[in-house]
Amino acid sequence: MKALDQTLALAWRSLVQVRRNPWELGDYSIQPILFLVLFLYVFGGAVAGSTEAYLPFVLPGVIAMNMLFVTVYVGHGLNTDLTRGVFDRFRALPIPRWAPLAGRILADLLKQALCIALLLIVGVLLGFRIETSVWEVLAMVALVLVFASAASWIMVLVGVLSRDPEHVQLFGFTALFPVTFVSTAFVPLDTMPAVLQPFVQANPVSLLADASRALLGGGNALEPALWTLVWAAAIAVIFAPLSVWALNRRLARG
Amino acid sequence: MEIAIRLQGLVRSYNGTRAVDGVDLEVPRGSILGLLGPNGAGKTTIVRMLATLITPDAGRAEVGGFDVVHEAARVREIVGLTGQYASVDEKLTGRENLLLIARLLGLGRRDARRRADELLGQFHLQDAANRPAQTYSGGMRRRLDLAASLVGNPAILFLDEPTTGLDPRARRDLWRLVGELREQGTTVLLTTQYLDEADALADRIVVLDRGRIIAEGTSAELKERVGGRSLFVVVADSARLDDAAEAIARIVGEGPQARDSTLSVAVTSSAVVPKVLRALDQAEIEVVELGLRTASLDDVFLALTGHAAEATSEMSEEDA
Ligand SMILES: Nc1ncnc2c1ncn2[C@@H]1O[C@H](COP(=O)(O)OP(=O)(O)OP(=O)(O)O)[C@@H](O)[C@H]1O
Ligand SMILES: [Mg+2]
């Protein structure tokens, strides 16, 4: 109970921080909308023949991409705490060792959920029609959040290993760009070179985008959704212990 | 006499070199210990071990009767820490920073708010309370940091160079506050590079050099060993520095330490001042400045170790 209160207090802190940081706020609100609108109107005609035809395809893709970009903030925030001594202050307090990290990830999930809601609303305003039931929409949100919390562990590791917050962003975005674009997030599989297709098909971003499309627009969601969960589990199993190990090592050194 | 902090043969190495090299220390409950030492002496390393942030390589330490390694969680419940570098959350306001700590310490919403306001007042931060800490000056951040370490009314407080970066008023305020805390029975371990600070605050002073304790005692005891004050002479022509040193040595009985065109030597009485002035005059050495100042860390180190402190420390100079 006490640990829960403490985790919530730490999550509150991560959320309040956003208010003071217009860039971060923008990254959660303006940036995803900008991506959606740009992709839709710039590529819509070329990829799908019209923006109307492209919207159902690109909206889940933008949701997946934005989710990954937002995870960078987990690493960025953690690294800021580590380099600015805030983490030390927390560690000298009588709170569980995992609470600062848990608070951050919890806050991050809330931000993720808000981003998804925002994108769905803007999508609907632009003419997107949800063809499925509320449950399928909720399943889609849950799937994105599950994958987000797994992917966050990768960024936790980046946050622990980076010297300063700027490096987290540099490395995080540099790694995320190819992963997001070599996927079916924005263009259909068959338009890409044959050598690339196996990678595109195995890419969790493709799987997540495909599953989300099916969960919003109808179709077979089960297979891509299950593979997305397999990916999420694999990432979490590898990166969660690795991150915790790296974090403890960094703390023991200093 | 109850012991609040006990260190036994404490050792901590970084990359093979011992930052803390076998330190034994006892701090009675309700007293203030000043840990005095130059850059790299190992002060911060000791404080971080006591605050359970890093673990010792050898030896043991108890804080409030709890082992810092095996009972770290208990130690965290009774200590407050202000590290050497401010550790406030820059994106939160001053009040939010304090509220967060209060909530983490288990205070209810209303109590947390009351405690935050109390501390904001105590540290003269009311006006800046609702501004993000990143807009604070260095000294304000430092004060917020200090306030944060007091939120839980800790029984044992660690302050690592608490007055670095504070202006004279804030520095005196802090000194007064530490005095008040002692009156309430708080045990304080503070580190400093300034002899006058240790002098003003600490019941006992421990002098640390290269990870070892080289002297220990009350400030009066230490000053007796050091001479308490030092004579400094700045000569106009640095070519005459050696002549001046010789003339001073003849009167004081001890060779002064030279740095640039300044000579300084520990003295026990101010009676030497006119004598030195006369001797220099007779030797036709032009003097730019001459006076007495409180013994500096340099003087302490020279007297105790025979080598100068590795880094210069600015001292409040008191011209005679
Ligand atoms: N994280 C670290 N990694 C490597 N070496 C370190 C680390 N922390 C401290 N040291 C080394 O340990 C020694 C003692 O450092 P410490 O910070 O304890 O000194 P200090 O007395 O606090 O000095 P200062 O007055 O400069 O704060 C120094 O030689 C320092 O270089
Ligand atoms: Mg230090």
Side-chain angles (χ1 to χ4, degrees):
Chain A
M1 206 53 227
K2 208 166 116 197
L4 183 66
D5 275 348
Q6 289 163 336
T7 306
L8 290 177
L10 288 160
W12 165 81
R13 164 215 176 219
S14 290
L15 293 172
V16 171
Q17 277 184 336
V18 179
R19 205 178 61 214
R20 298 278 143 55
N21 189 349
W23 288 114
E24 198 177 337
L25 196 62
D27 283 357
Y28 297 135
S29 52
I30 300 169
Q31 183 175 293
I33 296 173
L34 207 61
F35 274 132
L36 179 62
V37 172
L38 282 177
F39 275 107
L40 186 60
Y41 291 103
V42 175
F43 298 130
V47 177
S50 71
T51 51
E52 291 76 33
Y54 191 45
L55 184 57
F57 188 85
V58 78
L59 181 63
V62 172
I63 289 177
M65 174 176 88
N66 187 67
M67 175 273 293
L68 284 175
F69 283 10
V70 167
T71 61
V72 175
Y73 273 108
V74 177
H76 184 266
L78 174 64
N79 187 275
T80 308
D81 284 354
L82 284 169
T83 48
R84 303 277 150 80
V86 179
F87 208 79
D88 277 348
R89 169 160 308 282
F90 292 153
R91 283 203 304 140
L93 291 174
I95 60 174
R97 307 219 105 187
W98 45 263
L101 219 49
R104 191 166 278 295
I105 290 178
L106 188 67
D108 181 64
L109 286 182
L110 197 69
K111 294 174 199 167
Q112 293 278 15
L114 291 174
C115 281
I116 299 170
L118 182 72
L119 278 169
L120 283 177
I121 290 167
V122 175
V124 167
L125 291 179
L126 290 173
F128 181 74
R129 287 210 19 227
I130 296 171
E131 313 280 355
T132 52
S133 70
V134 176
W135 301 112
E136 281 158 302
V137 175
L138 288 179
M140 174 258 163
V141 174
L143 187 68
V144 176
L145 291 184
V146 167
F147 191 82
S149 45
S152 295
W153 285 108
I154 302 177
M155 290 305 157
V156 169
L157 185 66
V158 174
V160 171
L161 295 179
S162 301
R163 203 172 329 120
D164 53 54
E166 286 67 37
H167 278 88
V168 178
Q169 253 161 331
L170 197 69
F171 182 84
F173 289 127
T174 310
L176 284 181
F177 265 106
V179 177
T180 4
F181 281 86
V182 183
S183 78
T184 57
F186 308 113
V187 289
L189 181 68
D190 51 30
T191 62
M192 285 186 254
V195 281
L196 223 51
Q197 291 195 7
F199 294 99
V200 175
Q201 275 175 301
N203 187 342
V205 183
S206 305
L207 296 162
L208 181 59
D210 289 345
S212 303
R213 265 171 214 135
L215 286 168
L216 293 176
N220 177 20
L222 194 62
E223 202 193 319
L226 282 179
W227 281 115
T228 305
L229 289 176
V230 169
W231 261 108
I235 291 171
V237 163
I238 294 168
F239 283 93
L242 199 61
S243 303
V244 171
W245 170 79
L247 179 62
N248 286 335
R249 214 177 68 120
R250 176 170 177 158
L251 295 175
R253 265 208 317 260
Chain B
M1 183 179 65
E2 205 182 324
I3 301 299
I5 306 171
R6 176 181 280 126
L7 282 65
Q8 286 170 339
L10 205 63
V11 173
R12 168 78 195 204
S13 307
Y14 285 112
N15 313 320
T17 48
R18 289 190 165 192
V20 175
D21 191 8
V23 169
D24 299 293
L25 194 63
E26 287 187 349
V27 186
R29 210 177 99 167
S31 72
I32 301 181
L33 180 92
L35 207 54
L36 182 68
N39 289 144
K43 306 181 295 291
T44 298
T45 309
I46 289 180
V47 167
R48 286 174 67 79
M49 282 191 277
L50 294 178
T52 75
L53 293 177
I54 51 174
T55 50
D57 294 334
R60 47 185 273 119
E62 275 176 17
V63 174
F66 300 115
D67 187 279
V68 294
V69 178
H70 301 110
E71 296 166 297
R74 306 297 299 274
V75 172
R76 290 184 197 123
E77 280 170 14
I78 54 171
V79 303
L81 164 70
T82 299
Q84 182 167 3
Y85 305 102
S87 57
V88 298
D89 187 329
E90 313 229 310
K91 299 219 178 79
L92 299 188
T93 64
R95 175 176 280 112
E96 285 165 351
N97 264 288
L98 298 179
L99 281 176
L100 173 64
I101 306 287
R103 298 289 288 160
L104 290 176
L105 288 171
L107 268 66
R109 239 171 260 279
R110 193 175 314 137
D111 289 339
R113 217 167 299 146
R114 188 177 325 123
R115 185 75 185 123
D117 284 332
E118 216 169 84
L119 286 164
L120 288 166
Q122 209 169 343
F123 285 89
H124 307 292
L125 289 167
Q126 303 100 316
D127 296 342
N130 296 320
R131 260 165 46 198
Q134 60 193 350
T135 67
Y136 283 20
S137 72
M140 289 162 76
R141 246 175 250 216
R142 194 81 201 142
R143 282 175 354 234
L144 180 59
D145 210 27
L146 287 160
S149 65
L150 291 175
V151 170
N153 290 312
I156 297 171
L157 186 63
F158 302 120
L159 303 174
D160 197 358
E161 300 196 21
T163 59
T164 306
L166 293 188
D167 63 27
R169 184 182 79 122
R171 198 165 176 227
R172 267 193 303 279
D173 281 350
L174 181 83
W175 287 11
R176 183 153 24 94
L177 179 85
V178 172
E180 284 165 17
L181 288 172
R182 198 225 339 236
E183 245 135 69
Q184 293 161 23
T186 309
T187 309
V188 182
L189 186 150
L190 65 91
T191 78
T192 179
Q193 302 192 32
Y194 307 125
L195 189 61
D196 63 338
E197 181 158 295
D199 192 9
L201 289 176
D203 299 308
R204 280 183 80 71
I205 299 174
V206 164
V207 185
L208 203 66
D209 183 37
R210 299 175 186 178
R212 290 170 183 270
I213 292 178
I214 55 165
E216 198 174 347
T218 63
S219 87
E221 284 163 4
L222 284 178
K223 280 194 174 158
E224 206 165 303
R225 291 176 63 177
V226 181
R229 312 187 112 194
S230 75
L231 172 76
F232 72 97
V233 176
V234 184
V235 297
D237 179 6
S238 53
R240 307 281 323 261
L241 207 61
D242 290 343
D243 297 339
E246 212 171 290
I248 293 169
R250 238 177 294 140
I251 289 155
V252 181
E254 199 183 323
Q257 187 198 351
R259 180 169 282 165
D260 300 326
S261 52
T262 307
L263 295 164
S264 68
V265 63
V267 294
T268 39
S269 136
S270 54
V272 295
V273 175
K275 289 186 200 155
V276 168
L277 203 53
R278 221 171 301 133
L280 293 174
D281 193 36
Q282 267 162 18
E284 289 177 347
I285 299 168
E286 198 185 330
V287 173
V288 179
E289 217 181 328
L290 182 148
L292 283 177
R293 63 179 178 197
T294 351
S296 69
L297 190 61
D298 270 346
D299 303 320
V300 176
F301 271 77
L302 196 65
L304 294 174
T305 65
H307 70 85
E310 252 125 63
T312 37
S313 52
E314 326 131 35
M315 285 293 309
S316 56
E317 294 198 356
E318 164 201 326
D319 288 5

